[in-house]
Amino acid sequence: LFKGNLRVLLVRRVLLTISGGLTAGLSTLYIKETLGADAVILGLFGSIWSAVFVVFILIGGWVGDRYDRKKILLLGTALTLPNPIIYALAPSWHILILVNFLGALGSAISSPVYNAILYSSIEQKKRSQAVAALAVMASIVNMVVPPTSAYLIQVMGGLEEIRKMFVAQFIISLAVWIYTFRRLRMMPSSERNEVKGFTEAVKDMLFQMRTVYRMSRERKAFSWVIMF
């Protein structure tokens, strides 16, 4: 079932889920207790993320239909690579404004092409099965990694030690980026979708927005947390 690009995307999904799980559930507490943010600031971060995402998702879809999707995916994910290091070194919450901007921009650029690569890598008759398998693997990781990481942080000395987990996140994310760069197959031109007009691009943007909003509500996730 998992061959070629689909295998690459599976490995990528699992590793990024592990990376996100290292700080899942504790990031907000870290921002509040260690970096000094209050509830209003936390809400502001979500607003910044959403605003930037809405502005740039249309551009991300438009670019993904006209240029090599692998390069666009790598560009979008590269924009988010510095974020864990910024978290690890942050002296206060103010610098996290930049993190949210980069995170939303990178997600807006990479999300449309990621979905396009994923679905074009799966045979239509096996599409639902493959997508379900990806979700199951990510869910299994999410059941194990966050509590294990929280326990390790507690054993190491408390919430301040989460900075080390952010460094680990950066290392994993960089390794995933390199792995994707080396293993993901470039899509032949014959498999590329026909270039879409502005109206179709707007429809794609609205669809992506509805999908992200629905997933955020179902998972009760903060909109500025990006995980594939």
Side-chain angles (χ1 to χ4, degrees):
L1 179 61
F2 293 99
K3 299 178 181 179
N5 276 357
L6 190 57
R7 179 181 298 174
V8 175
L9 295 177
L10 172 64
V11 173
R12 180 180 183 273
R13 176 80 173 267
V14 170
L15 290 178
L16 288 180
T17 304
I18 292 173
S19 175
L22 293 177
T23 58
L26 295 178
S27 297
T28 302
L29 190 61
Y30 166 72
I31 296 169
K32 182 178 180 181
E33 300 295 334
T34 303
L35 302 184
D38 58 22
V40 175
I41 298 302
L42 292 175
L44 177 63
F45 286 159
S47 297
I48 292 173
W49 196 98
S50 297
V52 175
F53 184 85
V54 166
V55 170
F56 286 98
I57 184 69
L58 175 59
I59 298 175
W62 186 88
V63 170
D65 284 334
R66 287 160 174 78
Y67 299 97
D68 183 82
R69 286 172 177 162
K70 175 182 176 180
K71 293 180 180 178
I72 302 303
L73 177 65
L74 291 171
L75 172 62
T77 52
L79 291 173
T80 66
L81 282 179
N83 287 354
I85 291 297
I86 296 175
Y87 264 108
L89 302 177
S92 69
W93 61 264
H94 300 82
I95 190 64
L96 299 187
I97 295 175
L98 175 62
V99 170
N100 282 272
F101 179 84
L102 291 176
L105 179 60
S107 179
I109 292 174
S110 62
S111 293
V113 293
Y114 170 82
N115 289 329
I117 294 172
L118 174 61
Y119 286 109
S120 66
S121 302
I122 309 172
E123 295 180 28
Q124 187 171 1
K125 62 182 180 180
K126 298 181 179 179
R127 190 164 292 171
S128 297
Q129 181 183 356
V131 171
L134 286 170
V136 168
M137 294 297 295
S139 296
I140 291 174
V141 172
N142 270 329
M143 288 189 293
V144 176
V145 176
T148 303
S149 177
Y151 174 77
L152 291 175
I153 291 172
Q154 185 177 7
V155 170
M156 289 189 297
L159 190 59
E160 184 68 25
E161 299 302 316
I162 196 175
R163 295 179 186 269
K164 296 177 182 177
M165 293 300 180
F166 282 119
V167 174
Q169 275 187 341
F170 171 75
I171 295 172
I172 295 174
S173 298
L174 180 60
V176 169
W177 192 93
I178 295 172
Y179 173 78
T180 304
F181 172 75
R182 300 181 68 174
R183 294 297 184 89
L184 190 67
R185 181 176 59 87
M186 295 179 64
M187 184 180 297
S189 56
S190 60
E191 297 179 18
R192 295 292 301 276
N193 290 336
E194 183 180 350
V195 174
K196 298 178 180 179
F198 181 79
T199 302
E200 293 182 64
V202 171
K203 291 180 180 178
D204 284 347
M205 176 192 70
L206 295 176
F207 174 77
Q208 292 289 340
M209 290 169 59
R210 287 196 301 269
T211 301
V212 171
Y213 177 73
R214 184 175 66 252
M215 291 176 63
S216 297
R217 289 192 61 185
E218 290 174 353
R219 300 178 182 181
K220 298 180 180 180
F222 290 100
S223 58
W224 49 273
V225 175
I226 307 172
M227 187 177 305
F228 296 104

